[in-house]
Structure formats: C-alpha cells, structure tokens
Amino acid sequence: LSAALVRGERETLTLPPQEVRSVPEERLYDGALRTHSPTVWPKGVPSERAWEREFDSPVALSTCEREGEDETGAEVPYHRDTVVGVDDDLAAEGASVIGVDARTGKERWRYTVPTTRHATVEQVGVSEDCGVLVLVDNSVTTLDAFDGSVRGRLLLSSLHLSEQTNSGGGKAGVRWAFITSTRHTLDDEGNPPRVVPLPGQDYAYLLTPKSAVLAVRKSDGSTAAVGFDDDACGHLVHGRYSKWGQTMVAHDCRGEERLRSFGIEEHDGEGETTPLLYGKPQMSSPVPTECGGAGSATAAVEGVGRLLVLYEGCPADRRGAWWVTFDPEPWRDDPMVRWERWTGYSPRIREATQPVHTHTGFVLPHRDGMLVVHDFYRKPSDTRVVPLPGRDPAVAFAMEEVQGINSDRMRDNGLLVLGGSGKVHAVVETITGANEFKVTDSQRSPVAPVTGCQGRTGLLAAHTSPTMVLTCTSGKNGSTKAVAYAGEERAENWYEPDE
C-alpha cells in the first residue's frame, strides 16, 4: 500500500521540466564563514541598512555547512545563511525558487519550473540543515541551500487525494503540504503559505487531506516511509526526543479531543520494528473542557528532553491560552503530560509566533513583552513575564546564536525580539542564574518594512553574520518585502588564552 501510494501510476505521471542554475565551483565558498573563527553577535540591534528585495512569496532562512579546503589545503567547515523565496516570471510563464545571500542580498542560485496547466511551484519547505524541498504538482525536488544543486527528485501519487471542491467550484485541499512546527493560516482558496520553515532534522514530512503522512529524507530526497492517522485533524513536527527520534504531535478531533506526542522511528524492514509515525513513547492527554471544540495546537518547540506545545483559541475571548509539556524521560514510570494556562495573550497576535528555546527555558509572546517558562524545575516562580520597553508585545523571535557556529553554553545567550510596535529589541539571557533576561538595546522608532505593514511582519537573524532581516508579507497574495540591517562584523576564539 505504501509503495503504491508513493509511486502512483507511473505510466501516467511524469516529472515536470526544470532548469537549475547552481553556484559555480570557483565561487562556492565566497562569503562563507569558517567556524574556527566564529562570528560573535554584538549584543544590540543591527542598524545599518544593508539591502532590500521584493519576493513573490514568504521567505525563510537556511543555515548550513559544507566541508572545503582553506588556503593551506586543510579541510575546514564553511557555514553560510541563505534567504529562500519564490519569484514568479509572468512574461516567461514560470516560477523560480531563489537563494539569496543573507549578508549581501545578492542572488546565489535559482531553480526554475516552467508553469503549465498541471505544474507550478506550489510550496517550498526550507530547513536549517541545507535542505530546500520544492513541491510541484505530483513531485518533490530536494535542493542544497548552500549551492542550489539538486539532491534528488521524488514522484508522488495523486490517487488518494480527495476531490473536495471550494465555493468557486474548483478543487480545494487536494495538494500535498509540509508539516511544520507551526500551524499556518490558510488563504481564501484553502492553501498554506507558499514558503514555510522546516525543523532541522533528518526528514521532512508531507501531509494529505486524508491524513497520509510521507517522510522524505533531506539528504537525497528519497522516501523514508508512509503512515496513516485517520483520527487526526492536525499535525505538528519538531525537535528530537533523546531516545525516540524526531517528535510528532497529533491533534485528534474525532470523539474525545486529545493531543498526542510520540517519537518517530523509521521502519527498517528487519525483525520486529515499529513503523514510522507510531514510535515510542505515545503520550496522550485529553484537551481541557474549556477548549473543547474551540482550540487548536498551533506551535511546538523542543526543550531539554521536553516538548512544549502551544494550544490557542480558548476560552472564547481568546485572551488566554494553554501550553502543554510532554516529558518522556525514561526514568519516569509514566511519561508526564502537563497542561497549564497563561494569560496575557495579545489579540493582535492571531497566528501563533514560533516559540524559542534558550539556555534555561521557553520564550513565548505576551501582551506586555515575552513570557519565560523554565525548562528544568518548573516551579511557579520560574514562569514570569519579561517586559519590553513600552510594554511592547512580542510578535516574533530570532536567536542570535546557533550551536556549532557562534554559540557556547558558557556564554550569554542573545535574542532579537520584534514587538507589536514595529521596533526590534535585543535581549540577553545571562548564565549567572535561571531566567535572568535583560533588554540591552531597542530601536528608537520602527523601520522598514515594519513601518506601515498591512500584512504579517517577521524577523530573521543570520547566524553567520550580525544581520537581521525584517519582512512584511501581504495577507492577500503572500508577496513579501524584505529589508536587511547589518551590524559590526567581528570574530573571536572559542576560549580566551591563559594569562
């Protein structure tokens, strides 16, 4: 059944044409960062305007690594940040997925699909581990974000897709779509955002309206496995349990509403194994009665051995929300699931902002700033509000550090926060104690493209250089204006020399 689902009727399905313009070998490492001399973010808000660009889609950021030779011929790791979006060329009747250097704004690579009656760039998933997956009709192509080359192409099946119709008489909800760590708002035609960020794990996951989930390896674009879950009306994927692999969250909406979390295991076909999507542990909990039939799981983020899930839309006034923590640690007799309510949810933040995990806990949006949930001991005093200047409600977060490039567990943690006012705030989490956060810098006034944005604002932080990208995405057609601001670029050794 799985083989038939993936292959489909191969005699009637064909891969769409493509045009690949990747980075030439001689320019492969231009502008990339060598990690033996890591960049250190200044603990402030980058303020020098670097570049701006219009995209015909939302954008996402990929930070990835490639081994290369330095001046001495030694193999060293190179890292780079790439902003990925879509450009529609109406004159040529085609659509291109493009990779733009996050520091300079210059285009590095382009993947073009000529638009036909049956083929166009429908959705792009962008991962931190160099994987860029492009959905076109009944196929998914995996690109390398470092240079734009093709890793693999996979033909999908359309035999199982539903034949639902929308109010205009056209098909609705019949396409494959990526499962991400955030539940996205659909447009008027029932389609998800054209570009979405994917968690940085080994697999990318695709979902169909009939709850068939397909796992695709990011390394080569091949199929890992297929799973079915007819009781689920929503999925989230994020993080990695220490023992049970990547995490899947399923929201069951038939009968008693429940929220489930489980580690994903790949079926290897040998012995008595557990198929993908039905790994261990299976942690399940009923949704609180206050939320019955009204709420939904909107975002998930991995912590230290735990998973936190935002559950929003309840009670009816939408001024409160819940978070759910799943703790699968093997020393517990029963995996722990805890529901807790928090107040201060801002009605202006309709769609859940992706939470982030810092050294000591989770950070979530709050109407007066940001809410910090401790990840270790979970005492009531460990959950508190960190106000931003002017009680600016947090709208988006971007970590300044990423493990292996410019982070160190023994250094303060940097965080950029976009507020509802359109200003960006630099926040530092100190390592001297739990939940000690302080605002070190704030923009004096909103700047482009946040100023006058009539859609959804966003914030990206390039990890290999002190560059932040502010975005304004239209709610009508998904087009995005991106403006980058750079800070002073500097570097230091991992450890200070002894005196």
Side-chain angles (χ1 to χ4, degrees):
L1 178 61
S2 296
L5 174 67
V6 175
R7 291 197 309 269
E9 297 292 341
R10 286 193 177 273
E11 64 271 19
T12 61
L13 297 178
T14 58
L15 287 167
Q18 63 178 354
E19 179 183 340
V20 182
R21 192 171 71 194
S22 57
V23 180
E25 183 68 28
E26 63 271 14
R27 295 195 292 108
L28 191 58
Y29 303 105
D30 291 353
L33 174 73
R34 288 183 291 183
T35 53
H36 63 63
S37 181
T39 293
V40 177
W41 270 78
K43 301 305 177 185
V45 180
S47 58
E48 181 181 351
R49 190 162 175 145
W51 56 270
E52 66 178 86
R53 184 170 183 139
E54 297 277 353
F55 296 86
D56 294 321
S57 71
V59 296
L61 183 71
S62 178
T63 301
C64 55
E65 175 184 330
R66 175 75 62 84
E67 292 289 330
E69 294 184 355
D70 63 7
E71 297 84 353
T72 66
E75 288 286 330
V76 296
Y78 287 86
H79 288 84
R80 72 163 57 254
D81 289 295
T82 304
V83 177
V84 179
V86 176
D87 273 355
D88 290 318
D89 188 347
L90 299 180
E93 296 184 347
S96 298
V97 182
I98 59 173
V100 173
D101 188 284
R103 178 68 178 182
T104 65
K106 295 181 179 180
E107 183 178 315
R108 286 183 48 80
W109 52 262
R110 177 176 288 259
Y111 172 81
T112 302
V113 176
T115 299
T116 67
R117 178 182 175 186
H118 301 289
T120 188
V121 174
E122 294 174 353
Q123 195 179 36
V124 181
V126 182
S127 175
E128 291 183 354
D129 56 3
C130 262
V132 176
L133 285 80
V134 185
L135 275 170
V136 178
D137 192 31
N138 296 321
S139 71
V140 57
T141 299
T142 303
L143 307 177
D144 190 316
F146 201 97
D147 62 4
S149 60
V150 175
R151 291 180 173 181
R153 305 186 77 197
L154 178 66
L155 188 63
L156 306 176
S157 170
S158 62
L159 300 181
H160 65 290
L161 296 179
S162 66
E163 295 297 328
Q164 302 169 357
T165 58
N166 57 29
S167 57
K171 292 183 180 180
V174 299
R175 300 187 178 118
W176 294 88
F178 289 107
I179 302 175
T180 70
S181 56
T182 303
R183 186 170 182 172
H184 300 282
T185 300
L186 304 180
D187 63 17
D188 294 339
E189 296 181 357
N191 298 318
R194 205 170 180 191
V195 176
V196 293
L198 302 178
Q201 302 295 342
D202 297 333
Y203 305 113
Y205 298 90
L206 297 167
L207 178 68
T208 70
K210 292 188 177 180
S211 295
V213 178
L214 174 67
V216 178
R217 293 184 181 89
K218 297 177 185 176
S219 58
D220 58 8
S222 62
T223 306
V226 178
F228 297 89
D229 197 337
D230 292 334
D231 292 329
C233 61
H235 292 82
L236 299 172
V237 61
H238 199 288
R240 178 183 295 277
Y241 287 141
S242 57
K243 184 178 180 180
W244 292 285
Q246 192 168 0
T247 309
M248 181 77 74
V249 177
H251 186 196
D252 296 338
C253 301
R254 300 179 184 178
E256 181 187 16
E257 282 202 76
R258 303 185 69 85
L259 202 64
R260 294 184 286 117
S261 174
F262 47 90
I264 299 170
E265 296 178 352
E266 183 178 353
H267 177 59
D268 59 12
E270 296 181 4
E272 192 173 331
T273 60
T274 306
L276 188 77
L277 301 183
Y278 301 98
K280 297 181 179 180
Q282 278 264 7
M283 290 173 287
S284 177
S285 177
V287 175
T289 56
E290 297 93 324
C291 300
S296 59
T298 56
V301 60
E302 174 195 18
V304 181
R306 292 184 178 93
L307 181 78
L308 180 141
V309 179
L310 272 181
Y311 197 91
E312 298 187 37
C314 57
D317 62 7
R318 301 187 185 278
R319 296 188 66 85
W322 297 73
W323 72 71
V324 192
T325 49
F326 294 93
D327 189 349
E329 294 303 336
W331 58 77
R332 297 184 182 277
D333 294 333
D334 297 308
M336 183 182 70
V337 182
R338 178 186 298 176
W339 288 78
E340 296 182 57
R341 184 176 177 178
W342 58 281
T343 58
Y345 174 78
S346 173
R348 287 183 291 174
I349 310 173
R350 178 60 190 90
E351 184 175 331
T353 294
Q354 173 62 56
V356 296
H357 183 261
T358 62
H359 284 327
T360 57
F362 303 98
V363 179
L364 301 89
H366 190 272
R367 68 184 176 198
D368 294 330
M370 58 187 196
L371 186 73
V372 180
V373 182
H374 200 281
D375 191 26
F376 295 108
Y377 306 108
R378 300 300 306 281
K379 296 181 294 184
S381 59
D382 290 331
T383 299
R384 63 186 180 87
V385 175
V386 176
L388 296 174
R391 295 191 176 276
D392 200 4
V395 172
F397 305 106
M399 299 298 298
E400 295 175 357
E401 285 84 11
V402 64
Q403 189 66 37
I405 297 180
N406 58 351
S407 69
D408 189 337
R409 297 292 296 181
M410 300 306 296
R411 294 196 307 207
D412 292 345
N413 203 24
L415 179 69
L416 294 179
V417 183
L418 174 61
S421 67
K423 300 178 182 178
V424 178
H425 311 276
V427 180
V428 169
E429 177 194 22
T430 64
I431 61 173
T432 56
N435 285 6
E436 292 187 7
F437 291 82
K438 60 181 180 180
V439 180
T440 59
D441 188 21
S442 294
Q443 288 180 326
R444 294 183 179 180
S445 60
V447 293
V450 178
T451 304
C453 179
Q454 299 300 312
R456 180 172 174 81
T457 56
L459 173 67
L460 304 172
H463 304 298
T464 59
S465 65
T467 304
M468 70 175 186
V469 182
L470 292 170
T471 62
C472 174
T473 300
S474 168
K476 295 181 179 180
N477 57 15
S479 62
T480 298
K481 181 179 181 180
V483 179
Y485 294 85
E488 180 184 359
E489 196 166 10
R490 55 196 177 93
E492 71 175 11
N493 296 323
W494 283 110
Y495 303 103
E496 297 292 337
D498 297 330
E499 295 182 359

